Amino acid sequence: MASNAPVGKPTDMSSPRLPKVAGIDSTVPAPPHTVAPLPGVPSAAPPSDAALPPGVLIQDRLASWVSDLTTLHELTERLIKTDSLDGALREMLGAGAALVGARRGMAVLEPADGLGPTSTIGLGLAHADLGTIETVPRGSGSYGRLLDGLSEADPPGAGLPEADPPGAGLPGNGPTAPRRPARVPEPIAIRDVRTEEGLDPRHREVAARLGYAASYALPLATEEAGRLGAAVWLYDEPAEPDERRRHLIGLYGRFATEHLARLLQVERARARVATVAEELLPSRLPRVPGVRLAVRHLTGPQGGGDWYDALPLPEGALGLAVGSVSGTGPSALAAMGRLRASLRAYAVMEGEDPVAVLSDLELLLRLTEPARSATALFAYAEPAQRRIVLAGAGHAPPLVVGDHRTEFVETSLSAPLGMLTCWEAPSVELSPAPGETVLLYTDGLLRRTGDATDRAFARLHAAASSVPRADRSDPGAVADHVLRTLLPGGLDPAVEGEDVVLLAARFE
């Protein structure tokens, strides 16, 4: 058997230095020629290496290295294209199954810091099968031991802390000590569940029920990222990956962990932004006789400044507003909160005159945030009389949807708030018929379609016109139909853009 040790420079040929591919060092140990190659990876070897010239042996080893690097490059390229945690876990699980030669498996995302999110993804396993596997005592299951920081040599209960505890360094919790590199547990291979020592009887029972005989568990962990989770692949017969496959899955697993760590940070940041945005917006819509309200708010990855409001006013009136602040991220969210709070105050004082409300808002924005612009639409509604008076500043016109008409409200043109030299756009009045729904929306709904403005308006009109008659009595169903028609895939998380707000008011 030929040795896998590095081969020196031969005298009869030059040994090229392989480049790094996808961040993977080319110095991958050559696999034994008696090991079966991975699917789709050529790796043929003569029956006797001793009878071959040294140059042929070197060429064979180089070909094997290149083959392995090519496989890893293709798999990592596919992985890096995933932009969600679930998508990355599914891709990693399928690629890992090919590398270790298994048919089924599961991946568990469970960050060691306890801050989430958590999820479990299966490959060739139904949801009920995953639940059955989770009934195995955590200390007996291989993936559970990895999640708890245990290796094959660790006694039960010997989990090791890997970094600062949750909340360290936050106000009131004292200073944060220098982060200690996390210890990465070794993979756990169970060659034969029936004969493996120390397994819980429940583990053997579950394996027999699901029809697997062996498993190979890999920690999704690196010293820098810490433990994010674990993956386990299941074999139908007693087996375990050979040294070559272990090496390849180890390289791929480290790359996958770093990619998951990046996606985890993005997901957490997105969740924090969404939480802040929701806290700055109404927790629920008011109940006012004569009108039914529904709202849909879709937030992009960084969070935008789109907002909405519905405010009960004296004498059974109702103030409706939508708007958008320029920019994205925390600063836009803070500006949005200040603008919305100011509009509520102006609406209480002079809501019957929407022009006066927006004029005050314009002056406030100009004095307090001169570098920022915003659009806004405010409507003063009297549901009992089915009467609406509205004014807009740089905002798209509302859309009236009913059994006999679907049309945009003709409003006067006006520049956005913060860009006006003087207020010249008057308010307009409309009277919705019984059963008609008025849609107020932000510009993000139009821009997220990716179409030119005129075509986006045409698509919005067509979407509202196609609302099924059975759904027109429910403002929430109307809003959902419009969103599904215009944005069938929702907001693409990989594309930066504005938020989307759609506020629907159906008059009885």
Side-chain angles (χ1 to χ4, degrees), residues 92 99 218-222 248-258:
M92 181 275 304
L99 290 173
L218 181 77
L220 300 177
T222 64
L248 291 177
I249 191 60
L251 292 174
Y252 181 77
R254 286 193 290 273
F255 183 89
T257 301
E258 294 298 337

Side-chain angles (χ1 to χ4, degrees), residues 139-140 195-200 204:
S140 177
T195 61
E196 184 79 11
E197 296 182 359
L199 292 186
D200 189 276
R204 304 185 201 276

Side-chain angles (χ1 to χ4, degrees), residues 295-306:
V295 69
R296 300 295 183 263
H297 180 207
L298 307 180
T299 305
Q302 293 188 358
D306 286 18

Side-chain angles (χ1 to χ4, degrees), residues 40 126 161 309 458:
D309 207 347

Side-chain angles (χ1 to χ4, degrees), residues 18 73 126 138 154 227 248 270 306 322 369 414 431 463 476 480:
L18 299 179
H73 174 71
R138 194 173 174 98
D154 291 325
R227 284 195 303 276
L248 291 177
R270 185 180 303 161
D306 286 18
V322 292
E369 302 187 54
S414 170
S431 298
D480 289 336

Side-chain angles (χ1 to χ4, degrees), residues 75-83 91 255 259 262:
L75 294 178
T76 53
E77 282 291 304
R78 289 169 53 180
L79 178 65
I80 204 66
K81 293 178 181 178
T82 58
D83 53 21
E91 175 62 32
F255 183 89
H259 182 58
R262 291 189 291 270

